[in-house]
Amino acid sequence: FPVTIRQWLSVDISADGQVILAADYAARLWLSTDGGVVWSEARPAGNNNYNWQTVAVSSDGNVLLAGISTGRLWLSTNKGVSWSEARPAGATDLAWSCCCADDDGSVLLAGVTNGRLYISKNKGSSWSETRPVGNVNKFWSFVSCNLDGSIIIAGINPYRLYLTTDGAAHWAETG
């Protein structure tokens, strides 16, 4: 990185520690594919600064997901070599607040502040809304999934955790 003060908001790492994706709010995404020795800017949305809020890296390091707090969701399926816009909610700017990826990036989940949760079960090719709390918007703060994406936990701010053990088919409040 160039030496400067950064406002890190999110970071994720592959299971082997080689692929690291970090979000610098109001600036850039930074990517390392050698365990943090060398870093480069990832520019999924062009050569512009954005309010990067959330990132996810699949355990195998091939699939990367990054969300802008007032913008779009971006997806790479080749360790950040190329990126495409993911459109879980259509061509709409949303406040992406959290995301996660399973072992190989087959299952991806992304949440919106004062919005919904969206899931993909095919590496981001298609998305659907998942509704842990019914047909209402919530302040989704975090999501996390296990290696095969069958167990997912999602939290809203304030107060609630929701758990699914069947890949988001059914949710239950927990904790």
Side-chain angles (χ1 to χ4, degrees):
F1 313 108
V3 178
T4 186
I5 296 173
R6 304 256 176 229
Q7 188 177 354
W8 302 113
L9 282 190
S10 184
V11 64
D12 202 8
I13 190 168
S14 61
D16 66 2
Q18 291 301 297
V19 179
I20 307 167
L21 184 62
D24 183 1
Y25 190 77
R28 306 295 174 117
L29 287 179
W30 292 92
L31 176 66
S32 175
T33 57
D34 60 6
V37 176
V38 176
W39 291 86
S40 61
E41 283 185 38
R43 295 182 177 180
N47 189 21
N48 297 303
N49 289 341
Y50 289 97
N51 294 330
W52 295 103
Q53 182 73 30
T54 183
V55 297
V57 175
S58 62
S59 295
D60 68 8
N62 289 319
V63 178
L64 312 176
L65 191 62
I68 299 171
S69 69
T70 53
R72 304 296 173 103
L73 194 64
W74 294 88
L75 174 68
S76 173
T77 57
N78 56 13
K79 292 186 181 179
V81 173
S82 61
W83 294 80
S84 61
E85 185 180 326
R87 294 185 170 192
T92 304
D93 287 346
L94 294 173
W96 298 103
S97 57
C98 54
C99 61
C100 67
D102 74 347
D103 183 45
D104 65 357
S106 294
V107 176
L108 303 168
L109 196 76
V112 176
T113 298
N114 196 26
R116 307 297 174 107
L117 282 179
Y118 299 90
I119 190 167
S120 172
K121 295 183 179 181
N122 54 15
K123 293 190 178 187
S125 293
S126 63
W127 295 79
S128 60
E129 187 178 306
T130 182
R131 297 179 176 179
V133 292
N135 191 21
V136 294
N137 291 343
K138 293 291 182 182
F139 286 88
W140 295 104
S141 299
F142 65 87
V143 292
S144 184
C145 56
N146 72 336
L147 288 179
D148 69 4
S150 63
I151 301 172
I152 303 167
I153 191 160
I156 57 173
N157 187 11
Y159 315 125
R160 301 282 189 260
L161 294 175
Y162 296 90
L163 179 71
T164 178
T165 58
D166 58 11
H170 302 93
W171 291 84
E173 187 175 325
T174 185

